[in-house]
Coordinates of all heavy atoms in Angstrom, one line a residue:
I102 N 16.2 3.9 13.2 CA 16.5 5.1 12.4 C 16.5 6.3 13.3 O 17.4 7.2 13.3 CB 15.6 5.2 11.2 CG1 15.8 4.1 10.2 CG2 15.7 6.6 10.5 CD1 14.7 3.9 9.2
S103 N 15.4 6.4 14.1 CA 15.2 7.6 15.0 C 16.4 7.6 16.0 O 16.9 8.7 16.4 CB 13.9 7.5 15.7 OG 12.8 7.5 14.8
N104 N 16.7 6.5 16.5 CA 17.8 6.4 17.5 C 19.1 6.8 17.0 O 19.8 7.6 17.6 CB 17.9 4.9 18.0 CG 18.7 4.7 19.3 OD1 19.9 4.9 19.2 ND2 18.0 4.5 20.4
K105 N 19.4 6.4 15.7 CA 20.7 6.9 15.1 C 20.7 8.4 14.8 O 21.7 9.0 15.0 CB 20.9 6.1 13.8 CG 21.4 4.7 14.0 CD 21.6 4.0 12.7 CE 22.4 2.6 12.9 NZ 21.7 1.7 13.8
I106 N 19.6 8.9 14.4 CA 19.5 10.3 14.1 C 19.7 11.2 15.3 O 20.4 12.2 15.3 CB 18.2 10.7 13.4 CG1 18.1 10.0 12.0 CG2 18.0 12.2 13.2 CD1 16.8 10.1 11.3
L107 N 19.1 10.8 16.4 CA 19.1 11.6 17.7 C 20.3 11.3 18.6 O 20.4 11.9 19.6 CB 17.8 11.4 18.4 CG 16.5 12.1 17.8 CD1 15.3 11.6 18.5 CD2 16.6 13.6 17.8
K108 N 21.0 10.3 18.2 CA 22.1 9.8 19.1 C 23.1 10.9 19.5 O 23.5 11.0 20.6 CB 22.8 8.6 18.5 CG 23.7 7.9 19.4 CD 24.3 6.6 18.8 CE 25.2 5.9 19.8 NZ 25.7 4.6 19.2
S109 N 23.4 11.7 18.5 CA 24.4 12.8 18.8 C 23.9 13.9 19.7 O 24.7 14.5 20.4 CB 24.9 13.4 17.5 OG 23.8 14.0 16.8
I110 N 22.6 14.0 19.8 CA 22.0 15.0 20.7 C 21.9 14.5 22.1 O 22.1 15.2 23.0 CB 20.6 15.5 20.1 CG1 20.7 16.1 18.7 CG2 19.9 16.5 21.1 CD1 19.4 16.5 18.1
F111 N 21.5 13.2 22.2 CA 21.3 12.6 23.5 C 22.3 11.5 23.8 O 22.0 10.5 24.3 CB 19.8 12.1 23.6 CG 18.8 13.1 23.5 CD1 18.1 13.2 22.3 CD2 18.4 13.9 24.6 CE1 17.1 14.2 22.2 CE2 17.4 14.9 24.4 CZ 16.7 15.0 23.3
E112 N 23.5 11.8 23.5 CA 24.6 10.8 23.6 C 24.8 10.4 25.1 O 25.0 9.2 25.4 CB 25.9 11.4 23.1 CG 27.0 10.3 22.9 CD 28.1 10.8 22.1 OE1 28.2 12.0 21.7 OE2 29.0 10.0 21.8
K113 N 24.5 11.3 26.0 CA 24.7 11.0 27.4 C 23.3 10.8 28.1 O 23.3 10.6 29.4 CB 25.5 12.1 28.1 CG 26.9 12.3 27.6 CD 27.6 13.5 28.3 CE 29.0 13.7 27.8 NZ 29.7 14.8 28.5
E114 N 22.3 10.8 27.4 CA 20.9 10.7 27.9 C 20.2 9.5 27.2 O 19.3 9.7 26.5 CB 20.2 12.0 27.8 CG 20.8 13.1 28.5 CD 20.2 14.5 28.2 OE1 20.4 15.0 27.1 OE2 19.5 15.0 29.0
K115 N 20.7 8.3 27.4 CA 20.2 7.2 26.6 C 18.8 6.8 27.0 O 18.1 6.3 26.1 CB 21.1 6.0 26.9 CG 22.5 6.1 26.3 CD 23.4 4.9 26.5 CE 24.8 5.1 25.9 NZ 25.6 3.9 26.0
N116 N 18.4 7.1 28.2 CA 17.0 6.9 28.5 C 16.0 7.7 27.7 O 15.0 7.2 27.2 CB 16.8 7.1 30.0 CG 15.4 6.7 30.5 OD1 14.9 5.6 30.2 ND2 14.7 7.6 31.2
I117 N 16.3 9.0 27.6 CA 15.5 9.9 26.8 C 15.6 9.5 25.3 O 14.5 9.5 24.6 CB 16.0 11.4 27.0 CG1 15.8 11.9 28.4 CG2 15.3 12.3 26.0 CD1 16.4 13.2 28.7
L118 N 16.7 9.1 24.8 CA 16.9 8.7 23.5 C 16.0 7.5 23.2 O 15.3 7.4 22.2 CB 18.3 8.4 23.2 CG 18.7 7.8 21.8 CD1 18.4 8.8 20.7 CD2 20.2 7.4 21.7
F119 N 16.0 6.5 24.1 CA 15.2 5.3 23.9 C 13.7 5.7 23.9 O 12.9 5.2 23.1 CB 15.5 4.3 25.1 CG 14.6 3.1 25.1 CD1 14.9 2.0 24.3 CD2 13.4 3.1 25.9 CE1 14.0 0.9 24.2 CE2 12.6 2.0 25.9 CZ 12.9 0.9 25.1
N120 N 13.3 6.5 24.9 CA 11.9 6.9 25.0 C 11.3 7.6 23.8 O 10.2 7.3 23.3 CB 11.6 7.8 26.2 CG 11.7 7.0 27.5 OD1 11.5 5.8 27.6 ND2 12.0 7.7 28.6
I121 N 12.1 8.5 23.2 CA 11.6 9.2 22.0 C 11.6 8.3 20.8 O 10.7 8.4 20.0 CB 12.6 10.5 21.8 CG1 12.4 11.5 22.9 CG2 12.2 11.1 20.4 CD1 13.3 12.7 22.7
S122 N 12.6 7.5 20.7 CA 12.7 6.5 19.6 C 11.5 5.5 19.6 O 10.9 5.2 18.6 CB 14.0 5.8 19.6 OG 15.1 6.7 19.4
I123 N 11.2 5.0 20.8 CA 10.1 4.0 20.9 C 8.8 4.7 20.7 O 7.9 4.1 20.2 CB 10.2 3.3 22.3 CG1 9.4 2.0 22.2 CG2 9.6 4.2 23.4 CD1 10.1 0.9 21.5
L124 N 8.7 6.0 21.1 CA 7.5 6.7 20.8 C 7.2 6.9 19.3 O 6.1 6.7 18.8 CB 7.5 8.1 21.5 CG 6.3 9.0 21.3 CD1 5.0 8.4 21.8 CD2 6.5 10.4 21.9
S125 N 8.3 7.2 18.6 CA 8.2 7.4 17.1 C 7.7 6.1 16.5 O 6.8 6.1 15.6 CB 9.5 7.8 16.5 OG 9.9 9.1 17.0
A126 N 8.3 5.0 16.9 CA 7.9 3.7 16.4 C 6.5 3.3 16.7 O 5.7 2.8 15.8 CB 8.8 2.6 16.9
S127 N 6.0 3.6 17.9 CA 4.6 3.3 18.3 C 3.6 4.2 17.6 O 2.6 3.7 17.2 CB 4.5 3.6 19.8 OG 5.4 2.7 20.5
I128 N 4.0 5.5 17.4 CA 3.1 6.4 16.6 C 3.0 5.9 15.2 O 1.9 5.9 14.6 CB 3.7 7.8 16.6 CG1 3.5 8.4 18.0 CG2 3.0 8.7 15.5 CD1 4.2 9.8 18.2
Y129 N 4.1 5.3 14.6 CA 4.0 4.8 13.3 C 3.0 3.6 13.2 O 2.1 3.5 12.3 CB 5.4 4.3 12.8 CG 5.3 3.5 11.5 CD1 5.1 4.1 10.3 CD2 5.6 2.1 11.5 CE1 5.0 3.4 9.1 CE2 5.5 1.4 10.4 CZ 5.2 2.0 9.2 OH 5.2 1.3 8.0
L130 N 3.1 2.7 14.2 CA 2.1 1.6 14.2 C 0.7 2.1 14.3 O -0.2 1.5 13.7 CB 2.5 0.7 15.4 CG 3.7 -0.2 15.3 CD1 4.0 -0.9 16.6 CD2 3.6 -1.1 14.1
M131 N 0.5 3.1 15.1 CA -0.9 3.7 15.3 C -1.4 4.3 14.0 O -2.5 4.1 13.6 CB -0.9 4.7 16.4 CG -2.2 5.3 16.6 SD -2.1 6.8 17.7 CE -1.1 7.8 16.8
L132 N -0.5 5.0 13.3 CA -0.9 5.7 12.0 C -1.3 4.7 10.9 O -2.2 5.0 10.1 CB 0.2 6.6 11.5 CG 0.5 7.9 12.4 CD1 1.7 8.6 11.8 CD2 -0.7 8.8 12.4
I133 N -0.6 3.6 10.9 CA -0.9 2.6 9.8 C -2.1 1.7 10.2 O -2.6 0.9 9.4 CB 0.3 1.7 9.4 CG1 0.7 0.9 10.6 CG2 1.4 2.6 8.9 CD1 1.8 -0.1 10.2
S134 N -2.6 1.8 11.5 CA -3.6 0.9 11.9 C -5.0 1.4 11.6 O -5.7 1.8 12.5 CB -3.5 0.7 13.4 OG -3.7 1.9 14.1
N135 N -5.4 1.4 10.3 CA -6.7 1.6 9.9 C -7.1 0.7 8.8 O -6.2 0.1 8.2 CB -6.9 3.1 9.5 CG -6.0 3.5 8.4 OD1 -6.3 3.1 7.2 ND2 -5.0 4.3 8.7
V136 N -8.4 0.6 8.5 CA -8.9 -0.4 7.6 C -8.3 -0.2 6.2 O -7.8 -1.2 5.5 CB -10.4 -0.4 7.5 CG1 -10.9 -1.3 6.4 CG2 -11.1 -0.7 8.8
G137 N -8.2 1.0 5.7 CA -7.7 1.3 4.4 C -6.2 1.0 4.2 O -5.8 0.9 3.1
S138 N -5.5 0.9 5.3 CA -4.0 0.7 5.2 C -3.5 -0.7 5.7 O -2.8 -1.4 5.1 CB -3.3 1.8 5.8 OG -3.6 3.0 5.2
M139 N -4.0 -1.0 6.9 CA -3.5 -2.2 7.5 C -3.9 -3.4 6.8 O -3.2 -4.4 6.8 CB -4.1 -2.3 9.0 CG -3.4 -3.2 9.9 SD -1.6 -2.8 10.1 CE -1.0 -4.4 10.6
S140 N -5.0 -3.4 6.1 CA -5.5 -4.6 5.3 C -5.0 -4.5 3.9 O -5.1 -5.5 3.1 CB -7.0 -4.7 5.3 OG -7.6 -3.6 4.6
H141 N -4.4 -3.3 3.5 CA -4.0 -3.1 2.1 C -2.5 -3.4 2.0 O -1.8 -3.9 2.9 CB -4.3 -1.6 1.8 CG -4.7 -1.5 0.3 ND1 -3.8 -1.5 -0.7 CD2 -5.9 -1.2 -0.2 CE1 -4.4 -1.3 -1.8 NE2 -5.7 -1.1 -1.6
I142 N -2.0 -3.0 0.8 CA -0.6 -3.2 0.5 C 0.3 -2.0 0.9 O 1.5 -2.1 0.8 CB -0.3 -3.5 -1.0 CG1 -1.0 -2.4 -1.9 CG2 -0.9 -4.9 -1.4 CD1 -0.8 -2.6 -3.4
N143 N -0.3 -0.9 1.2 CA 0.4 0.3 1.5 C 1.4 0.2 2.7 O 2.5 0.6 2.6 CB -0.5 1.5 1.7 CG -1.4 1.7 0.5 OD1 -1.0 1.5 -0.7 ND2 -2.7 2.0 0.7
A144 N 0.8 -0.3 3.8 CA 1.7 -0.5 5.0 C 2.8 -1.4 4.7 O 4.0 -1.2 5.1 CB 0.8 -1.0 6.1
F145 N 2.5 -2.5 4.0 CA 3.6 -3.5 3.6 C 4.7 -2.8 2.8 O 5.9 -3.0 3.1 CB 2.9 -4.6 2.8 CG 3.9 -5.7 2.4 CD1 4.2 -6.7 3.3 CD2 4.4 -5.7 1.1 CE1 5.1 -7.7 2.9 CE2 5.3 -6.7 0.7 CZ 5.7 -7.7 1.6
C146 N 4.3 -2.0 1.8 CA 5.4 -1.3 1.0 C 6.2 -0.3 1.9 O 7.4 -0.2 1.7 CB 4.7 -0.6 -0.1 SG 4.0 -1.7 -1.4
T147 N 5.5 0.4 2.7 CA 6.2 1.3 3.6 C 7.2 0.6 4.5 O 8.3 1.1 4.8 CB 5.2 2.1 4.4 OG1 4.2 2.7 3.6 CG2 5.8 3.2 5.2
N148 N 6.8 -0.5 5.0 CA 7.6 -1.3 5.9 C 8.9 -1.8 5.2 O 10.0 -1.8 5.7 CB 6.9 -2.5 6.4 CG 5.8 -2.2 7.4 OD1 5.8 -1.2 8.1 ND2 4.7 -2.9 7.3
L149 N 8.8 -2.1 3.9 CA 9.9 -2.6 3.1 C 10.9 -1.4 3.0 O 12.1 -1.6 3.0 CB 9.5 -3.0 1.7 CG 8.7 -4.3 1.6 CD1 8.3 -4.6 0.2 CD2 9.4 -5.5 2.3
I150 N 10.4 -0.2 2.7 CA 11.3 1.0 2.6 C 12.0 1.3 3.9 O 13.2 1.6 3.9 CB 10.4 2.2 2.1 CG1 10.0 1.9 0.6 CG2 11.3 3.5 2.1 CD1 9.0 2.9 0.1
L151 N 11.3 1.2 5.0 CA 11.9 1.4 6.3 C 13.0 0.4 6.6 O 14.1 0.8 7.1 CB 10.8 1.4 7.4 CG 9.9 2.5 7.5 CD1 8.8 2.2 8.5 CD2 10.6 3.8 8.0
A152 N 12.8 -0.8 6.2 CA 13.8 -1.9 6.4 C 15.0 -1.6 5.5 O 16.1 -1.8 5.9 CB 13.2 -3.2 6.1
S153 N 14.7 -1.1 4.3 CA 15.8 -0.7 3.4 C 16.7 0.4 4.0 O 17.9 0.3 4.0 CB 15.3 -0.3 2.1 OG 16.3 0.2 1.2

Side-chain angles (χ1 to χ4, degrees):
I102 293 168
S103 299
N104 196 285
K105 280 181 170 57
I106 292 173
L107 288 170
K108 192 174 183 180
S109 60
I110 300 177
F111 296 102
E112 196 167 1
K113 297 179 181 179
E114 300 168 286
K115 292 184 178 179
N116 185 50
I117 294 175
L118 177 62
F119 175 84
N120 285 338
I121 293 176
S122 299
I123 201 72
L124 177 63
S125 296
S127 302
I128 287 171
Y129 171 70
L130 288 174
M131 180 190 61
L132 289 177
I133 64 173
S134 63
N135 60 73
V136 174
S138 298
M139 197 60 202
S140 67
H141 213 285
I142 54 177
N143 302 322
F145 181 79
C146 292
T147 305
N148 294 327
L149 293 182
I150 293 173
L151 286 171
S153 172

